Structures are given as structure tokens and as C-alpha cells.
Amino acid sequence: MSKQSQFTDEEYQALAELMDSYNRTFAVSISTLVIAVIGFIIAETQIGYLITPTIRWMFGLLVILPLTITSIGSKYDFNHLTFTMPKTILYSVLNVVGLVSIMAIVIMLNG
């Protein structure tokens, strides 16, 4: 007697797409986090006199924190198979916050 699958092909396809989005979200957030930290260290050594404590706080709260939450959260959800679309959207929004903040800080330093 063969067992029939409880899921349809469309459901498997949807799960595969969601897993793929989690992998992409994790890859983007961890890459951005590493590059942002390296860039900030280089900026501190090259133009440290321009970087005020306010900019350091902005970098920590608006770049490092969202990207760290996204990296840890997406990897945890992927490993424990707790996928949900709202979390995926949240992680994407946090990535955008981090990237926009990086651009704002660069513009502030150049201005």
C-alpha cells in the first residue's frame, strides 16, 4: 500500500519559493552586515574626525541592529522551518532600513 502525499504540487512549490526567499534574505542581510562593518571600520580609520557620536549611534541602531535581527531571525526560522510571509516581509523591511541608513550616513559625511 503506497502512501499518498498530503500536499499538492502547488503547496510544495510555494514552500520552495518561501525557503528560497529566506535564503536570499539571509544572504543579503549577512553580506550587507559584514560590508557595513568593514566600511565603518575603514571610515573610522580614514575620516574618524568626521564621525560624531550621533553618527555612531545611528549606525548602531539603524544599520547594525536591523541587519543583525534579520540575519539571526531568518537563519533561525530557516533551520526550524517556521516560515511565515509576514516575517519574510519584516526581514525585507529591516534590510531596506539598514541599506537606506547606510546611504544616509554616507550622504551626511559627504555633505
Side-chain angles (χ1 to χ4, degrees):
M1 178 157 83
S2 71
K3 289 187 174 183
Q4 286 190 336
S5 175
Q6 297 176 356
F7 301 105
T8 64
D9 288 340
E10 291 82 18
E11 290 171 329
Y12 278 122
Q13 182 66 28
L15 179 64
E17 289 175 7
L18 192 56
M19 289 175 71
D20 185 48
S21 71
Y22 265 80
N23 278 334
R24 288 181 187 181
T25 300
F26 175 73
V28 166
S29 61
I30 199 74
S31 300
T32 307
L33 181 63
V34 168
I35 291 170
V37 169
I38 291 171
F40 195 77
I41 291 170
I42 291 171
E44 279 281 355
T45 59
Q46 298 296 317
I47 55 166
Y49 61 91
L50 289 176
I51 300 176
T52 64
T54 304
I55 292 176
R56 288 185 184 99
W57 273 102
M58 282 177 51
F59 181 76
L61 293 176
L62 296 176
V63 176
I64 298 298
L65 187 62
L67 293 175
T68 303
I69 289 170
T70 302
S71 299
I72 293 170
S74 61
K75 192 62 175 172
Y76 177 85
D77 292 342
F78 185 80
N79 287 343
H80 292 91
L81 298 176
T82 55
F83 305 118
T84 62
M85 193 49 97
K87 282 185 186 177
T88 305
I89 294 168
L90 172 69
Y91 295 149
S92 297
V93 168
L94 289 174
N95 275 338
V96 169
V97 167
L99 292 171
V100 169
S101 299
I102 290 169
M103 290 186 286
I105 290 171
V106 169
I107 290 169
M108 283 174 50
L109 289 174
N110 287 330

